[in-house]
Amino acid sequence: MPEGNHRMETSLLTVIKNIYESIADEQSKKIYESRLLYSLTGSYKFIDGVVSLSFKDIEVCKDILGKAFMDLSDDVVVYGAGHLGYILTVLCDMLRICAFCDSDTGRHGSMYNGYKVLSPHELKEKHSGSVIIIATAKEGNVADITEKLLGLGFDKDRILDFHGLLQSNGINQFSFHETQYFDPEIVLPILLEDEVFIDAGCYDCHNSIQFAKLCNNRYEKIIAFEPNPKQYSTCQHNSTVIENFTLYKYGLWNENAKLSFINNNAAGNAHFSGMSGEDVIKIEAVRLDDILNGEKASFIKMDVEGAELNALKGAEKTIMNYHPKLAISLYHKPEDVWEIPAYILSLDNSYKLYLRHYSFYGSETVLYAV
């Protein structure tokens, strides 16, 4: 092995060892191990490990649902190509799923989790003999979809409500998003009444609204960043309920720059790129240090579609001067799992690190540094 390569591998091992020693609890260490192995191998079995660590009752759920669907040997079409539909495929691998169906015309003909997404008309035409499992958590939607399926001639006894089945078995919580970035064990006990919260990657203001509620509206201010023009307008509309709130139409970066930003209209699928095309928009990016101009931040949340490391570099002075709580997305790029925590520790090695995961798939892992 060339000497230079050996030095590089040794250096990376030292970096990972230093990160591991800074992780504060056993759950976080196990999540880190699985995420690291996934980054190095690409094998999705390690994401299964992350999910199991994050949702401890998953095997109980699989057992309950396995018994519920035990006698279901027919082909199944899942109606709802979204979060709950994905969970159905994860928890119910005994089902003979042959396709998804969705009312959203923009999704017709696309693939979702390896299955073709059909229109209701195609569903009737190609799968009139299949069992239909409705996968949506909204009761009104379930009723509307059921009525639509009955109108297409499907037998009521062959239309099942996945969310209703979960609830009837006492399984009520499959959305982690209310606690994402605000973990009740890690963040909530150390929230203060004079917090300055940075919401980087504001998207629709959900996290800013959630933060204000968790603080009982006792905080100093919220500063949010959303560079996507469409989402910026959404944030402007949704933020009217938030006190002491400032919204910037900027991305965060390690320097002031104009960047290419690919937006394919799927939540969580936008990212920075050097490419050009009709899905690429130009955004203005700034350094957080420049925006704050020496003023404090006490809590920084970042979900900026792969720009997290550069955004942290643009917040170097703020992090070194104020030691803010950090909640940083750690899943957009394989190297994030070592580069991001290593950079944070290089600025302030007194940080204690925690990891939590908030989905049934590979995204939504958050690194907390406190």
Side-chain angles (χ1 to χ4, degrees):
M1 177 184 295
E3 184 179 348
N5 288 348
H6 177 72
R7 280 200 302 270
M8 185 169 63
E9 289 183 9
T10 302
S11 176
L12 181 57
L13 288 173
T14 302
V15 166
I16 292 172
K17 184 174 184 292
N18 184 44
I19 293 167
Y20 194 75
E21 289 174 348
S22 297
I23 296 175
D25 68 342
E26 286 303 311
Q27 182 179 357
S28 297
K29 286 183 176 180
K30 290 176 180 176
I31 291 173
Y32 187 77
E33 290 164 9
S34 293
R35 271 264 45 135
L36 179 62
L37 287 168
Y38 175 66
S39 289
L40 294 173
T41 67
S43 174
Y44 217 79
K45 70 179 181 180
F46 297 115
I47 294 299
D48 292 341
V50 173
V51 171
S52 297
L53 286 162
S54 305
F55 188 72
K56 295 180 176 60
D57 295 330
I58 192 168
E59 295 305 322
V60 175
C61 293
K62 285 184 177 182
D63 184 56
I64 290 171
L65 294 168
K67 290 175 181 176
F69 292 133
M70 184 183 300
D71 299 325
L72 193 58
S73 59
D74 296 327
D75 286 346
V76 169
V77 176
V78 180
Y79 201 116
H83 182 66
L84 201 62
Y86 184 93
I87 291 173
L88 173 63
T89 65
V90 172
L91 295 181
C92 305
D93 54 8
M94 79 296 292
L95 294 175
R96 292 174 52 184
I97 298 172
C98 56
F100 272 76
C101 180
D102 203 279
S103 300
D104 182 355
T105 57
R107 309 202 67 168
H108 298 164
S110 66
M111 300 296 291
Y112 183 72
N113 195 29
Y115 300 96
K116 188 174 181 180
V117 180
L118 308 175
S119 68
H121 176 74
E122 289 177 302
L123 175 64
K124 171 62 178 175
E125 188 178 77
K126 299 178 180 179
H127 297 280
S128 59
S130 297
V131 171
I132 312 301
I133 301 182
I134 301 172
T136 177
K138 296 181 180 179
E139 291 183 12
N141 287 358
V142 172
D144 290 344
I145 293 168
T146 301
E147 185 177 347
K148 180 183 292 186
L149 291 170
L150 292 173
L152 289 170
F154 285 94
D155 190 325
K156 185 175 183 180
D157 292 336
R158 295 174 70 77
I159 303 171
L160 305 179
D161 173 12
F162 179 52
H163 188 252
L165 178 63
L166 294 175
Q167 288 188 314
S168 67
N169 284 279
I171 306 169
N172 298 314
Q173 185 59 38
F174 278 93
S175 174
F176 300 103
H177 297 304
E178 295 308 305
T179 58
Q180 188 172 357
Y181 310 114
F182 310 110
D183 189 89
E185 296 177 356
I186 300 166
V187 172
L188 294 193
I190 56 175
L191 281 181
L192 305 172
E193 291 192 357
D194 62 346
E195 296 280 1
V196 175
F197 178 56
I198 307 299
D199 188 354
C202 189
Y203 188 69
D204 62 1
C205 280
H206 173 79
N207 296 136
S208 289
I209 293 170
Q210 185 72 1
F211 170 79
K213 287 179 180 177
L214 292 170
C215 290
N216 295 314
N217 284 320
R218 289 197 290 268
Y219 56 88
E220 188 173 325
K221 58 185 170 182
I222 298 172
I223 303 172
F225 297 85
E226 179 50 61
N228 185 317
K230 181 179 178 182
Q231 292 309 132
Y232 179 80
S233 296
T234 300
C235 291
Q236 285 181 307
H237 178 266
N238 292 348
S239 64
T240 56
V241 300
I242 313 174
E243 298 178 3
N244 301 321
F245 179 85
T246 302
L247 176 65
Y248 290 101
K249 194 177 179 180
Y250 298 139
L252 291 184
W253 201 245
N254 62 331
E255 61 182 354
N256 296 333
K258 291 190 183 296
L259 303 172
S260 296
F261 185 78
I262 294 180
N263 176 38
N264 62 4
N265 296 317
N269 289 330
H271 57 279
F272 289 93
S273 171
M275 298 171 60
S276 60
E278 62 181 20
D279 292 330
V280 176
I281 57 176
K282 294 288 185 179
I283 67 162
E284 207 172 331
V286 296
R287 290 163 41 90
L288 181 60
D289 283 343
D290 293 341
I291 294 293
L292 294 177
N293 194 27
E295 295 187 5
K296 78 168 184 179
S298 62
F299 186 1
I300 299 174
K301 163 252 167 176
M302 285 184 179
D303 185 352
V304 287
E305 311 305 343
E308 285 80 9
L309 181 60
N310 276 321
L312 285 165
K313 289 179 179 179
E316 175 183 350
K317 292 179 182 177
T318 302
I319 293 170
M320 293 178 71
N321 291 339
Y322 294 104
H323 189 88
K325 296 176 282 292
L326 304 175
I328 312 297
S329 290
L330 198 75
Y331 62 89
H332 289 107
K333 296 184 291 187
E335 59 270 25
D336 284 348
V337 76
W338 59 81
E339 288 187 347
I340 289 174
Y343 181 71
I344 291 169
L345 292 172
S346 76
L347 298 180
D348 186 341
N349 64 10
S350 70
Y351 271 116
K352 297 298 181 185
L353 307 180
Y354 297 83
L355 286 94
R356 295 293 186 266
H357 188 75
Y358 299 92
S359 76
F360 279 84
Y361 36 94
S363 61
E364 314 309 335
T365 299
V366 175
L367 171 71
Y368 295 97
V370 298

